[in-house]
Amino acid sequence: MMNSPSSNPCVDDLVHDKPAKAARSSRSAWLAVASIAVGTFAMVSTEFMPIGLLTDIARGLNVSDGTAGLMITMPGVLAAFAGPGLIVASGRLDRRTVLIALTTLLIASNLLAAFAPNFATMLVARLMLGLCVGGFWTFAPAAATQLVPDASKARAMSLVLAGVSAATVLGVPAGSFLGTLFGWRASFAVTGALAALVLVVQLWLLPAIPPVRAIGARDLLTPLTRRMAQVGLLAVLFFIAGHFAAYTYLKPLLQQVFGLAPNSVSTLLLVYGAVGFIGTFIGGSLVARSVRGTTLLAALMLATALLLSTVIGSGFAAGAVVVFIWGVAFGLIPVALTGWMMEAVPDAPEAGQALLVSGFQVAIASGALIGGVTVDNYGISSAMVLSGVLVLIAALIVGTLGRARGGAAALAASSAK
């Protein structure tokens, strides 16, 4: 008698093997997403690492603190153009190839920085990083969402952005901690080793990731036609420039103005990272209620911390108060500004993100440059006052011009045309 399909051993094996294969495929996909998230963490950590090591690097390469601030300025300038430029130039190139190339460049940048014999070589390493920054911010989130089913796209996007947020608030204290223990060169070497591990995982697990469609230069102009996006980009310039004119010199502030020893500085930088990470999750809840309110709150908190640093006095307790307020405020910033642009341009999120990245990088570079000139000529406290004023201007822009129609209305108006 012929066996029925249900009793056929070969068919039974195939039926039972399908869930196992699906589970293995799902596991591989999420490991691939995790590799992108960790790669983004390594990239953003490398971008901000000189902030926690600025005085050590300046001393080791025989330049002033203000000149050392170029390590933040120069990659920021390049990244501002790299994001939009790479997304247009890449066309329909497989995003797997793009991500692997960016990770390889990140490894090279860290290794060159770790062994830099002079400041000129360090700047070359930082320019290489600028390409990575613009590229990762542009490609990583979209590529991650293509690796998982539609129902899991939001989760994949969140994982990658969590890597960015974690690096933003933890990269500086981690780099400073390693630098205190083993020297600033070790910090770059460790980050390079992390990027190398990411590269191995990506070569192993990343499948082909064809782009959904090629992005043209015309697509990048869409956010500039929306009033809320225009207001958001204007606020970003003052907000982020003001922040980084001060943030680049956070470690010297704690050392010279608050008079803290290296161990105390490292402790407060770790506190900054911890409260900032918490602030990121608080920001997620607040943005769901009001993007404008969250952005305004972040600006007012940051301005308070910057101006308070000039009048609160010295010592560990005073430094801790400033660092706590500053850290929570900065934890809110990426979530608030990303939410603002998504609400302003809901029908063109990739174009909005590309311009937001450019705005961030221009503001970071400008802020670090302004801060460096101010620190070298007038001192750190003057840089804090200038930064506080810039952030207050951003708060004024958000509070007055930021009353425009929300994203839903903009989308409806766009669809009606």
Side-chain angles (χ1 to χ4, degrees):
M1 182 194 284
M2 185 178 291
N3 289 330
S4 66
S6 62
S7 62
N8 189 314
C10 293
V11 174
D12 286 345
D13 288 343
L14 288 173
V15 171
H16 291 302
D17 193 42
K18 284 183 179 179
K21 286 184 177 179
R24 286 195 296 271
S25 176
S26 176
R27 194 160 50 243
S28 295
W30 283 108
L31 285 173
V33 171
S35 76
I36 296 176
V38 176
T40 308
F41 172 87
M43 179 272 297
V44 179
S45 293
T46 302
E47 181 183 11
F48 294 138
M49 192 175 295
I51 295 173
L53 301 169
L54 190 121
T55 53
D56 304 284
I57 296 174
R59 198 176 305 116
L61 298 179
N62 299 313
V63 295
S64 70
D65 286 353
T67 300
L70 290 173
M71 291 185 292
I72 307 298
T73 304
M74 294 186 68
V77 171
L78 186 55
F81 297 97
L86 287 174
I87 199 170
V88 173
S90 64
R92 295 190 176 277
L93 186 64
D94 190 336
R95 293 331 189 207
R96 177 184 190 273
T97 302
V98 174
L99 289 173
I100 287 174
L102 290 170
T103 304
T104 302
L105 188 61
L106 178 60
I107 296 169
S109 171
N110 273 287
L111 291 180
L112 187 60
F115 294 100
N118 51 51
F119 191 65
T121 305
M122 174 62 80
L123 289 184
V124 171
R126 300 298 291 175
L127 285 173
M128 292 166 62
L129 175 70
L131 287 175
C132 295
V133 171
F136 265 111
W137 273 96
T138 300
F139 294 106
T145 60
Q146 289 181 248
L147 294 171
V148 297
D150 288 345
S152 301
K153 288 185 182 298
R155 183 181 171 196
M157 177 77 78
S158 298
L159 184 60
V160 172
L161 292 179
V164 173
S165 298
T168 302
V169 297
L170 298 177
V172 172
S176 178
F177 181 71
L178 285 172
T180 299
L181 293 179
F182 306 108
W184 62 267
R185 295 181 186 274
S187 298
F188 288 103
V190 169
T191 310
L194 176 61
L197 178 61
V198 169
L199 178 62
V200 171
V201 176
Q202 288 179 345
L203 287 170
W204 175 33
L205 290 175
L206 276 185
I209 311 175
V212 176
R213 68 179 181 89
I215 301 295
R218 184 182 296 273
D219 295 312
L220 299 175
L221 300 178
T222 300
L224 299 180
T225 66
R226 307 289 172 80
R227 185 172 186 271
M228 279 293 286
Q230 295 167 356
V231 172
L233 290 172
L234 181 62
V236 162
L237 293 179
F238 285 96
F239 205 154
I240 304 304
H243 177 265
F244 277 90
Y247 184 51
T248 306
Y249 302 95
L250 175 56
K251 185 173 182 179
L253 172 73
L254 295 174
Q255 290 176 324
Q256 299 173 26
V257 175
F258 290 100
L260 302 182
N263 288 340
S264 296
V265 171
S266 296
T267 298
L268 286 186
L269 288 176
L270 287 171
V271 169
Y272 178 94
V275 298
F277 193 69
I278 294 171
T280 299
F281 288 99
I282 294 174
S285 299
L286 294 178
V287 163
R289 300 178 183 180
S290 172
V291 169
R292 177 173 169 269
T294 306
T295 306
L296 187 59
L297 174 64
L300 293 176
M301 288 183 66
L302 179 57
T304 298
L306 295 172
L307 297 175
L308 187 63
S309 70
T310 65
V311 298
I312 197 173
S314 61
F316 186 85
V321 170
V322 170
V323 163
F324 185 88
I325 299 173
W326 193 340
V328 173
F330 189 55
L332 297 175
I333 291 173
V335 183
L337 295 177
T338 299
W340 183 293
M341 192 58 68
M342 290 180 66
E343 186 174 281
V345 199
D347 54 326
E350 291 183 348
Q353 181 67 17
L355 286 189
L356 181 63
V357 170
S358 293
F360 255 83
Q361 297 304 324
V362 168
I364 289 172
S366 302
L369 181 61
I370 293 170
V373 172
T374 305
V375 167
D376 280 351
N377 289 281
Y378 304 103
I380 291 177
S381 292
S382 296
M384 297 300 120
V385 172
L386 175 61
S387 299
V389 171
L390 291 174
V391 175
L392 284 176
I393 292 174
L396 184 63
I397 292 171
V398 171
T400 56
L401 301 180
R403 297 177 182 272
R405 294 179 301 167
L411 179 56
S414 176
S415 300
K417 292 181 179 179

